[in-house]
């Protein structure tokens, strides 16, 4: 079973891949403030769309209360702040701004029907089922015209370019899985929400591009499996 993150780890550093997935070295890893903030924002947006699923129009007061309560309960002194000049409250404010901007931009959240939140996706890349992929979709939705939307929320400071998201593997792989799950999919949009910048980037894939991605991913998995057999994981 492979995921985008697992394959990316190998591409970035085979030695790191071996430590994590082959030898499964146990390490104590602190949660960073950036990761905690991202988790709180994701949880808040998931809560928002759960209300939308129940035909409720969320109110800012209740969404803000959810965010503040989740932050207060989750934050602790063990969370690592790498940038020493910043505080936990700084990250809390940035996360709140991400939620505020999103709320204002997309209110009342009726642009598409929610099909899934934190949707787990498992599918085969080949007919025999030898090459399996899994992942989680932040939000899966269907627009009024039948377009399927695969949404991904980003809270990192750097916003990628259009050219970079057009080459993104993760959401494109999810498109392959969704098209196999759902019948009569006419069009799929891959949508990244860069919440700090309050900007969204949209990309589409042709079936030829998806087929090329499928073969490239299979080849990458074969490369990783061959490295396992040879036990060759050089560091980068």
């Amino acid at each position: 079973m492979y995921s985008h993150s697992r394959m990316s780890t190998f591409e970035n550093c085979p030695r790191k891949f071996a430590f994590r997935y082959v030898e499964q070295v146990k390490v104590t890893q602190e949660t960073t403030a950036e990761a905690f903030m991202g988790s709180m924002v994701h949880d808040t947006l998931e809560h928002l769309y759960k209300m939308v699923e129940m035909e409720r129009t969320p109110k800012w007061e209740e969404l803000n209360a959810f965010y503040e309560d989740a932050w207060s309960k989750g934050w602790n002194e063990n969370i690592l702040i790498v940038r020493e000049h910043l505080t936990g409250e700084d990250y809390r404010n940035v996360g709140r701004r991400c939620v505020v901007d999103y709320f204002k931009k997309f209110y009342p959240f009726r642009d598409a029907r929610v099909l899934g939140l934190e949707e787990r996706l498992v599918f085969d890349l080949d007919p025999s089922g030898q090459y399996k992929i899994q992942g989680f979709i932040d939000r899966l939705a269907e627009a009024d015209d039948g377009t399927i939307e695969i949404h991904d929320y980003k809270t990192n400071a750097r916003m990628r370019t259009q050219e970079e998201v057009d080459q993104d593997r993760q959401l494109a792989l999810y498109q392959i899985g969704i098209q196999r799950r759902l019948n009569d999919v006419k069009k799929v949009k891959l949508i990244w929400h860069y919440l700090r910048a309050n900007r969204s980037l949209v990309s589409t894939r042709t079936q030829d591009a998806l087929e090329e991605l499928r073969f490239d991913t299979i080849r990458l998995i074969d490369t990783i499996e061959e490295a396992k057999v040879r036990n060759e994981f050089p560091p980068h």
Side-chain angles (χ1 to χ4, degrees), residues 29-44:
Q29 185 171 345
E30 295 176 286
T31 299
T32 65
E34 288 84 355
F36 179 80
M37 181 190 72
S39 178
M40 292 299 97
V41 172
H42 275 72
D43 289 351
T44 303

Side-chain angles (χ1 to χ4, degrees), residues 100-116:
V100 169
D101 288 344
Y102 188 93
F103 186 91
K104 290 180 178 179
K105 186 174 184 177
F106 293 103
Y107 184 88
F109 315 104
R110 301 296 178 182
D111 53 325
R113 180 186 296 272
V114 177
L115 299 181

Side-chain angles (χ1 to χ4, degrees), residues 2-186:
Y2 276 83
S3 65
H4 167 72
S5 61
R6 180 175 291 214
M7 292 183 288
S8 294
T9 300
F10 181 85
E11 291 171 316
N12 292 332
C13 181
R15 185 65 248 167
K16 181 178 180 180
F17 176 92
F19 283 145
R20 180 173 297 178
Y21 297 110
V22 180
E23 301 165 17
Q24 298 183 359
V25 176
K26 301 299 182 183
V27 296
T28 300
Q29 185 171 345
E30 295 176 286
T31 299
T32 65
E34 288 84 355
F36 179 80
M37 181 190 72
S39 178
M40 292 299 97
V41 172
H42 275 72
D43 289 351
T44 303
L45 294 181
E46 181 182 2
H47 178 71
L48 184 158
Y49 281 103
K50 283 181 178 179
M51 289 189 280
V52 174
E53 276 190 303
M54 299 306 296
E55 299 299 323
R56 290 181 57 196
T57 300
K59 297 179 180 179
W60 167 247
E61 292 77 12
E62 57 185 337
L63 192 66
N64 183 56
F66 179 92
Y67 174 80
E68 298 295 348
D69 183 61
W71 188 284
S72 296
K73 289 179 178 178
W75 183 266
N76 62 77
E77 61 182 12
N78 295 321
I79 293 176
L80 178 64
I81 299 178
V82 178
R83 300 180 180 180
E84 295 180 355
H85 64 286
L86 297 179
T87 67
E89 196 63 23
D90 291 324
Y91 286 99
R92 184 176 194 158
N93 292 337
V94 172
R96 186 189 303 109
R97 177 170 58 81
C98 289
V99 177
V100 169
D101 288 344
Y102 188 93
F103 186 91
K104 290 180 178 179
K105 186 174 184 177
F106 293 103
Y107 184 88
F109 315 104
R110 301 296 178 182
D111 53 325
R113 180 186 296 272
V114 177
L115 299 181
L117 300 170
E118 291 298 320
E119 185 77 7
R120 182 172 184 260
L121 191 62
V122 177
F123 60 96
D124 299 325
L125 288 175
D126 64 312
S128 68
Q130 179 180 353
Y131 301 89
K132 293 184 179 297
I133 297 293
Q134 72 168 344
F136 290 87
I137 300 174
D138 287 343
R139 177 164 59 94
L140 183 66
E142 182 177 8
D144 290 340
D145 65 356
T147 299
I148 299 299
E149 299 174 349
I150 298 175
H151 294 263
D152 192 58
Y153 306 125
K154 300 293 187 184
T155 56
N156 45 300
R158 179 183 178 272
M159 179 177 173
R160 291 191 293 174
T161 66
Q162 184 66 51
E163 291 76 12
E164 286 175 317
V165 299
D166 285 339
Q167 297 299 316
D168 180 87
R169 175 176 62 205
Q170 184 177 16
L171 297 197
L173 282 174
Y174 295 168
Q175 179 175 344
I176 294 174
I178 288 299
Q179 288 183 170
R180 294 186 179 182
R181 177 189 292 186
L182 304 177
N183 295 324
D184 302 323
V185 175
K186 299 176 182 178

